[in-house]
Amino acid sequence: MTSNDLTGRFTDARKRIASAASQWGRSPESVQLVAISKGHPADAIRTVATAGQRDFGENYLQEVLPKFEALRDLPLVWHFTGQIQSNKTRPIAEHFAWVHTVDREKIAARLSEQRPADAAPINVCIQVSLEDEPGKGGVPVAEVAALAAKIAVMPRLRLRGLMAIPPPRDTFGEQKALFDRMSALLRDLNDKGLQLDTLSMGMSDDLEAAVAAGSTLVRIGTAIFGERNRG
Ligand SMILES: *Cc1c(COP(=O)(O)O)cnc(C)c1O
């Protein structure tokens, strides 16, 4: 893809977010865009960064570490959005400002321990499994509050909210209903005394439904960068 194409797609994605927001009476600034660049080269990230994007998300450590090197001159904010193996937490704790996929106390504890002392606390979202989907990660809804209470007191983490990757639904209404459950869950946690401000939900195919349900952060890959090679 040429850099003009890429810049055009990036602009279109931002327009989609802005128009969904205004349709639901929200300001465009209330929905943060994280560009998910897994499967795409550092050059593509540089092009999108030049067009004004600052937040990027990646899923695979072995893929992202060389990109960090190539992009060191840019003031980017990195989000980890992949599944986390407990023996691979250290590079995540060292390099990422955000981790969206925390679903176990043990992982959270390791990230907190391993966060370098001179870095700000890691912004963390708990990944919620709305349906029982083996292999996709996420904590069941019934266990979210207990996990949130534990993470909220970890010194080097800042619990920001919840994240989900809901399964696709046939209609907008059904898709929105799944995202609405996430909004309700966040409200419950805040009613219990937490102060969470982030709903990380919405991808290329369902961002409108997510914004309708109150998403504050959408994670967009394909709509910006195009199809990717797996893994
Ligand atoms: C890959 C990925 C995305 C981006 O998905 P698209 O459908 O390409 O927009 C968002 N969130 C997570 C957690 C992902 O793994």
Side-chain angles (χ1 to χ4, degrees):
M1 195 180 308
T2 68
S3 52
N4 271 347
D5 289 343
L6 199 45
T7 303
R9 292 174 70 105
F10 169 63
T11 305
D12 289 346
R14 289 181 45 164
K15 282 186 190 149
R16 271 178 71 190
I17 295 165
S19 99
S22 77
Q23 194 181 339
W24 295 87
R26 305 182 53 194
S27 78
E29 298 79 46
S30 68
V31 186
Q32 188 187 354
L33 168 59
V34 176
I36 305 293
S37 46
K38 65 179 185 230
H40 297 283
D43 284 353
I45 298 173
R46 184 174 292 279
T47 299
V48 175
T50 304
Q53 179 64 16
R54 187 193 58 146
D55 290 80
F56 290 86
E58 290 273 349
N59 286 35
Y60 307 105
L61 277 174
Q62 72 276 18
E63 179 188 335
V64 74
L65 295 176
K67 291 185 193 174
F68 286 149
E69 275 306 299
L71 298 165
R72 264 163 55 157
D73 57 311
L74 297 176
L76 305 181
V77 177
W78 291 98
H79 297 241
F80 192 79
T81 51
Q83 290 197 29
I84 307 172
Q85 293 166 263
S86 58
N87 61 345
K88 299 268 176 62
T89 48
R90 186 175 296 278
I92 297 173
E94 287 174 353
H95 292 286
F96 287 84
W98 283 75
V99 179
H100 291 248
T101 43
V102 173
D103 60 3
R104 277 179 287 160
E105 182 184 0
K106 180 180 163 193
I107 297 278
R110 291 177 70 103
L111 289 171
S112 185
E113 272 162 38
Q114 293 169 344
R115 183 65 162 174
D118 58 348
I122 308 173
N123 297 293
V124 163
C125 292
I126 294 175
Q127 184 179 349
V128 179
S129 170
L130 288 172
E131 318 261 280
D132 204 19
E133 291 182 289
K136 283 189 75 180
V139 59
V141 171
E143 296 166 26
V144 171
L147 181 59
K150 285 178 180 140
I151 294 176
V153 296
M154 293 186 184
R156 306 291 292 137
L157 304 185
R158 179 165 169 221
L159 183 61
R160 297 294 297 266
L162 304 176
M163 177 274 207
I165 313 172
R169 287 288 189 262
D170 290 336
T171 67
F172 179 89
E174 289 169 292
Q175 199 75 57
K176 179 174 177 295
L178 281 179
F179 289 125
D180 283 335
R181 291 177 55 198
M182 292 287 291
S183 301
L185 200 51
L186 192 85
R187 269 197 303 279
D188 284 350
L189 295 175
N190 283 334
D191 287 347
K192 290 194 172 93
L194 294 175
Q195 292 179 316
L196 307 181
D197 61 6
T198 302
L199 277 172
S200 167
M201 56 191 200
M203 317 201 323
S204 294
D205 289 338
D206 58 14
L207 79 86
E208 282 83 3
V211 169
S215 169
T216 66
L217 185 158
V218 292
R219 308 175 312 268
I220 308 299
T222 312
I224 296 172
F225 293 101
E227 294 298 325
R228 57 190 164 251
N229 298 325
R230 266 295 307 170

